[in-house]
Amino acid sequence: MLGLIAQAQYMGSLGNKPAKLGKRIPLDRSFMECVYSYKVHDPIDGRTREEFKILEIGNNYSQYSSYGAYQVDSIIKLHYPDGLTKNEYYYLRQGRNPTLESVVKNLEQKVINVYDYVFIDDYEYCEDFPIISWKLEPGTVTICGQVCHKATARFRGRNWTAWYSDIPQNNGPWKFCNLPGLILKVEDDKKEQIFEAIQIRNSDKEFGLIKLKREKTTREKYNKALADYKTTPRSFLMGNSNIPLPTDANGKVDMPNDRLFFNPIELE
């Protein structure tokens, strides 16, 4: 109850002040968008989580990011051209779960930039387009009205099945690529990671990144930091964060070290 009261007081006293939104760095202009459902199953705690992502495809870049963030950004541009208050921004976010992580493919240079975070720390790393040795298989399914063809591959510790369309784009959700057409569905053989397109549409919209101070790292170091935080959060924060942790009456850290929901997409 005290938390709700404090929140109401905050929204009342500060909520009418202008919301400070990050500056967006333009990347490209999209001609096509594909919205995906992304489901992750954690076999240890038995839960499955679903979130929605969007792939924006331009001539030089593509960006795979949070659909919630895309929706919030679109509404602000359309209905709040002169800015909005903290109250308005707070309520606009409700139910959309906007996040800032994204995977940007440089389609000309064939490199991928990943922007993500661990707790409150923002990171970025770069890698070449992955070499995924897909094997084209017999079989078709229809997704979003598109006839899709089957391909299989082992990539970074998982056995994947992909369904690619006849849309002539070497692209797909997350880091997936290297097939003759746009990938509309990918799942691993344990069905712990499932990406599936739910909408494809034409577009004419500028897209880009929110400008943040990010620490440059490598894929391996980022994945290790994320795993450390998700599996032993208290130990990770005590060793890495400058944020004061809650303590009990005796001054000992009063924070559980329970494993969080976690099933990394990359196992190696």
Side-chain angles (χ1 to χ4, degrees), residues 2 14 21 29 39 43 47 50 56 68-69 75 83 108 117 138 164-165 168 180 186 197 210 250 264:
L2 288 176
L14 300 178
L21 305 180
R29 195 166 196 89
K39 295 179 181 177
R47 289 181 295 165
E50 180 182 25
E56 300 170 89
I75 294 172
E108 291 185 324
Y117 62 92
Y164 64 94
S165 67
V186 197
I210 296 294
N250 298 317

Side-chain angles (χ1 to χ4, degrees), residues 41-105:
H41 178 71
D42 184 339
I44 294 179
D45 72 8
R47 289 181 295 165
T48 298
R49 290 185 177 177
E50 180 182 25
E51 56 185 303
F52 296 94
K53 302 285 190 175
I54 185 167
L55 176 65
E56 300 170 89
I57 303 175
N59 290 317
N60 301 310
Y61 290 88
S62 71
Q63 178 171 246
Y64 176 77
S65 58
S66 160
Y67 190 48
Y70 171 95
Q71 290 177 308
V72 169
D73 184 59
S74 297
I75 294 172
I76 291 173
K77 286 182 178 179
L78 181 63
H79 297 289
Y80 301 93
D82 299 322
L84 72 170
T85 66
K86 291 183 177 181
N87 264 333
E88 290 169 331
Y89 183 64
Y90 172 80
Y91 287 111
L92 187 59
R93 289 172 55 95
Q94 299 307 296
R96 293 187 172 89
N97 189 32
T99 54
L100 294 179
E101 75 276 8
S102 65
V103 176
V104 174
K105 297 185 180 98

Side-chain angles (χ1 to χ4, degrees), residues 13 28 33 50 75 116 142 176 192 201 232:
S13 61
D28 205 342
E33 298 174 340
E50 180 182 25
I75 294 172
D116 216 326
T142 300
F176 293 112
E192 294 177 352
R201 60 202 187 200
T232 54

Side-chain angles (χ1 to χ4, degrees), residues 15 20 68 83 96 100 105 128 160 171 182 184 192 226 228 232 260:
K20 294 182 180 180
R96 293 187 172 89
L100 294 179
K105 297 185 180 98
D128 293 333
W160 296 97
N171 219 319
L182 180 65
L184 297 187
E192 294 177 352
L226 182 63
D228 289 345
T232 54
L260 304 175

Side-chain angles (χ1 to χ4, degrees), residues 11-31:
M11 297 307 293
S13 61
L14 300 178
N16 290 324
K17 292 187 176 182
K20 294 182 180 180
L21 305 180
K23 181 180 179 181
R24 186 169 294 276
I25 305 171
L27 286 172
D28 205 342
R29 195 166 196 89
S30 63
F31 59 83

Side-chain angles (χ1 to χ4, degrees), residues 112 127-134 152-160 174-178 188 219 265-268:
I112 295 177
E127 61 178 322
D128 293 333
F129 268 31
I131 299 174
I132 307 177
S133 300
W134 295 106
T152 58
R154 183 166 179 81
F155 178 57
R156 297 199 174 150
R158 293 186 183 271
N159 296 316
W160 296 97
W174 188 55
K175 299 178 182 179
F176 293 112
C177 56
N178 293 352
D188 72 323
R219 179 179 71 89
I265 187 171
E266 296 177 317
L267 300 178
E268 59 184 38

